[in-house]
Amino acid sequence: MLSQGPAHKHPTTISKDRTLDLLAASPKAELHLHIEGTLEPELIFSLARRNGLKLPYPDVEALRRAYAFTDLQSFLDLYYAGADVLRTEADFFDLAWAYFERAARDHVVHAEVFFDPQTHTGRGVGFDVFMPAFARATRRARHELQMTSEWILCFLRDRSEDDALATLAEALPWREHFCGVGLDSAERGNPPAKFSRAFARAADLGLHRVAHAGEEGPPTYVRESLDALGAERIDHGVRAIEDAALVERLVRERVPLTVCPLSNVRLCVFEDLAHHNLPQLLRAGLKVTVNSDDPAYFGGYVNDNLLQLFAVHPELGAAEAYTVLRNSLEASFAPEDTRGAWIAQLDQLWQPADSRAL
Ligand code: HPA
Ligand code: ZN
């Protein structure tokens, strides 16, 4: 049961400083992370050099200065342009490995990572280039970092469903290297139901299904993701709060939301972290997780998201911290016994000092 952890028995005995320390040190899962969004400006420049490409920015600082977004589309334009430096298997491996090493420092024990094949196949970089790289990075992370990972193939929702179906067909030789499908890119005007056949095909293939919804788009897109796509998790979903009946359903069906606070601020979904509605989502009983989305573009990895958010909200204390951490582990697609083992590790860390000494 979600609310039975040690922190819930002693919520008031844990100070804010101790809560932040525990948040940082706790085992956690990252469930909303686009690998192309971990492409740091330094890596963009080094890959451009390696591949003999000229960038339209003189240096790393100038590129970073361009990361002043006004909405999702203004970000996507730069995000797709940045991904153009990814050309070879080595490029994709270096990208994935850099993320896994960085995530391990935040005590991520498991990551379910999005990738956008259409961003690459459309410019002549095929599955045979990026899939072996992702699989190799996953194997190395398991051996060297004791971190498990899965890959989730995202369809670009501003393209056609036929394009999505063709992409899924192209991915079949690499079926064992990804566990699910997702839906990302420009949300407004691209309702989930546009992809119902592609998601039905994915279900037939035994794939998990998730979808971005309710980031910029309306709550109806969240409902449609459940009904037309069979989504098991909603990525973002912060606008669900506008629809009380939908909130009630998400709570009842225990549908996890993969919320990304720094992303929401950078893309102007909320004015700042103090105005983020995560405390409200938690209070409503929603199964909220905290994630980093595109950390190279939005100014922070998962611990930055957690620590900055909890630091600015007085009502977010130890009980809420324990809940979002535990939710991340529970909402992952890892086997039940593995999730149980992580939760046992989490509980060990969150035991009150007096009982730990016994
Ligand atoms: N929303 C939609 N598409 C995306 C995002 C996002 O936050 N990040 C990368 N692609
Ligand atoms: Zn996202």
Side-chain angles (χ1 to χ4, degrees):
M1 268 302 291
L2 187 70
S3 57
Q4 298 305 308
H8 293 273
K9 293 184 201 139
H10 307 272
T12 54
T13 62
I14 300 178
S15 69
K16 191 72 164 205
D17 282 352
R18 176 83 183 124
T19 299
L20 297 181
D21 288 347
L22 283 167
L23 267 175
S26 288
K28 55 186 70 77
E30 173 128 74
L31 305 178
H32 186 157
L33 181 284
H34 302 261
I35 199 64
E36 294 88 353
T38 68
L39 187 51
E40 292 285 350
E42 289 78 7
L43 189 54
I44 290 185
F45 271 82
S46 89
L47 295 184
R49 218 171 305 120
R50 184 153 97 184
N51 293 323
L53 304 167
K54 180 132 180 54
L55 294 170
Y57 300 92
D59 52 38
V60 164
E61 289 67 37
L63 176 56
R64 240 184 241 288
R65 273 199 300 278
Y67 294 176
F69 312 117
T70 50
D71 60 8
L72 176 58
Q73 190 60 55
S74 66
F75 153 70
L76 291 170
D77 293 343
L78 270 179
Y79 164 84
Y80 295 128
D84 187 45
V85 300
L86 296 161
R87 300 289 173 99
T88 67
E89 201 260 7
D91 298 343
F92 284 94
F93 176 80
D94 290 350
L95 175 70
W97 181 246
Y99 165 67
F100 288 140
E101 280 197 304
R102 179 65 187 79
R105 301 214 309 266
D106 283 0
H107 300 274
V108 170
V109 293
H110 178 75
E112 293 177 3
V113 184
F114 296 139
F115 65 107
D116 286 341
Q118 289 154 293
T119 301
H120 311 303
T121 52
R123 52 192 182 83
V125 176
F127 277 85
D128 57 332
V129 176
F130 48 81
M131 278 327 294
F134 295 156
R136 189 154 65 89
T138 280
R139 277 196 305 275
R140 184 166 170 192
R142 192 169 57 240
H143 291 129
E144 293 187 21
L145 304 170
Q146 288 72 55
M147 185 194 301
T148 51
S149 49
E150 297 282 356
W151 294 86
I152 296 177
L153 183 164
C154 281
F155 302 122
L156 300 183
R157 68 198 305 156
D158 45 350
R159 307 222 183 152
S160 70
E161 187 180 42
D162 284 345
D163 205 338
L165 282 163
T167 301
L168 188 54
E170 229 183 308
L172 286 186
W174 286 273
R175 168 67 186 84
E176 67 181 292
H177 296 305
F178 61 101
C179 77
V181 296
L183 189 63
D184 66 3
S185 198
E187 187 180 5
R188 283 202 204 106
N190 292 298
K194 181 178 161 186
F195 294 91
S196 46
R197 283 183 306 138
F199 273 66
R201 175 84 185 108
D204 287 345
L205 291 165
L207 289 159
H208 287 292
R209 285 147 292 150
V210 299
H212 283 56
E215 177 187 19
E216 284 190 341
T220 49
Y221 283 16
V222 174
R223 192 176 284 110
E224 216 178 281
S225 298
L226 303 175
D227 294 333
L229 305 183
E232 298 159 72
R233 293 194 302 243
I234 298 295
D235 297 312
H236 294 296
V238 291
R239 287 196 57 195
I241 206 76
E242 296 167 24
D243 180 333
L246 175 63
V247 169
E248 196 261 327
R249 175 180 177 187
L250 292 167
V251 170
R252 185 167 20 89
E253 296 180 8
R254 305 182 63 73
V255 179
L257 304 185
T258 63
V259 177
C260 306
L262 288 173
S263 162
N264 292 153
V265 172
R266 286 297 187 99
L267 300 188
C268 307
V269 176
F270 297 100
E271 191 182 325
D272 54 29
L273 280 181
H275 287 87
H276 198 285
N277 71 358
L278 186 137
Q280 207 186 339
L281 299 172
L282 270 178
R283 261 198 316 276
L286 290 159
K287 197 175 176 94
V288 174
T289 67
V290 173
N291 308 269
S292 65
D293 208 5
D294 302 283
Y297 292 89
F298 300 148
Y301 286 78
V302 67
N303 276 2
D304 301 310
N305 275 272
L306 285 163
L307 297 177
Q308 291 182 37
L309 185 80
F310 275 71
V312 303
H313 283 276
E315 69 269 50
L316 293 180
E320 291 75 17
Y322 175 84
T323 298
V324 296
L325 291 164
R326 183 171 170 139
N327 284 352
S328 78
L329 303 169
E330 286 183 341
S332 80
F333 295 135
E336 195 176 341
D337 56 341
T338 310
R339 285 184 278 132
W342 291 328
I343 291 167
Q345 279 174 32
L346 179 71
D347 286 355
Q348 177 75 20
L349 198 66
W350 281 77
Q351 265 175 36
D354 49 357
S355 74
R356 223 178 320 156
L358 294 177

